[in-house]
Amino acid sequence: KYRKFLFLILYIFPYYSLDILYAQNYNKIESQIDIDLQEANDLFSKRDYQNAYTLYLEAANNSKKNNYSKGKSEGYIGAARSLFSSRELGKSTRLLLAAKKEEYSRSNPKIMSDIYFYLGLNLHNLQMVQPAIENYNNSIEYANKISNNQVRITSINRNL
């Protein structure tokens, strides 16, 4: 009777405890990345693009180390938007293409609509009008898949 109990305590409980600790630590890491992304968004809204870029990229790199797709997507997109402001369109485009590959992006029509819109802006500013239009159309296509009506309308209207 006691052997089974002892077995549970000595062999199973430590592994279960480690799983719980790992999950808690993982959630703390994701939470910290989300906080960093929000701080970067605040800097971006204050037009402090260089510091926003640095923080977005840091969040994306930390997300990459921890396999946090949402953090990578949002970090890459934010960094790309910051670079657009300083007209570093090649680097901005590369970051958007990296964000486009993320599972979080691919499963979220709003994010995909954003990515294609910003790709369109970059190409438009490079005088590549036809590819820009194609990206704007892709943005609208993804925007039409957004379930929230207000967000969908806003995402479509910005492409017009």
Side-chain angles (χ1 to χ4, degrees):
K1 208 176 191 180
Y2 291 109
R3 283 185 180 179
K4 287 181 183 178
F5 180 71
L6 203 56
F7 174 79
L8 288 173
I9 289 176
L10 294 176
Y11 292 101
I12 295 176
F13 185 71
Y15 294 110
Y16 180 72
S17 297
L18 288 175
D19 286 345
I20 290 172
L21 290 174
Y22 179 75
Q24 288 173 342
N25 188 41
Y26 192 71
N27 288 336
K28 285 180 186 177
I29 292 168
E30 288 180 358
S31 294
Q32 184 57 54
I33 291 168
D34 290 341
I35 290 168
D36 291 344
L37 288 167
Q38 185 54 55
E39 186 177 330
N41 288 337
D42 293 344
L43 291 168
F44 186 90
S45 69
K46 293 175 185 172
R47 298 180 182 192
D48 185 356
Y49 302 122
Q50 183 56 49
N51 286 324
Y53 168 76
T54 301
L55 199 50
Y56 281 128
L57 210 53
E58 184 179 310
N61 288 333
N62 287 337
S63 296
K64 190 173 184 177
K65 290 176 195 169
N66 292 284
N67 199 28
Y68 182 40
S69 185
K70 178 184 178 216
K72 286 190 279 185
S73 294
E74 292 185 4
Y76 292 148
I77 293 167
R81 290 176 57 219
S82 299
L83 289 171
F84 176 83
S85 301
S86 60
R87 298 294 185 245
E88 294 184 58
L89 303 177
K91 286 170 81 174
S92 175
T93 298
R94 283 190 294 280
L95 287 166
L96 290 168
L97 293 174
K100 190 171 126 177
K101 294 177 184 175
E102 286 301 315
E103 178 60 35
Y104 177 79
S105 299
R106 292 191 315 263
S107 65
N108 187 323
K110 166 74 170 87
I111 297 294
M112 290 301 289
S113 178
D114 291 348
I115 290 169
Y116 279 111
F117 176 74
Y118 296 127
L119 283 169
L121 282 178
N122 284 353
L123 292 167
H124 196 130
N125 278 278
L126 291 168
Q127 307 303 314
M128 299 173 74
V129 177
Q130 191 56 42
I133 291 170
E134 290 169 15
N135 278 281
Y136 292 140
N137 286 336
N138 286 335
S139 178
I140 292 169
E141 195 174 306
Y142 275 99
N144 281 319
K145 298 176 184 176
I146 298 170
S147 59
N148 181 300
N149 286 334
Q150 187 60 45
V151 174
R152 183 176 56 251
I153 290 167
T154 302
S155 294
I156 291 171
N157 284 342
R158 74 171 172 202
N159 285 282
L160 303 178

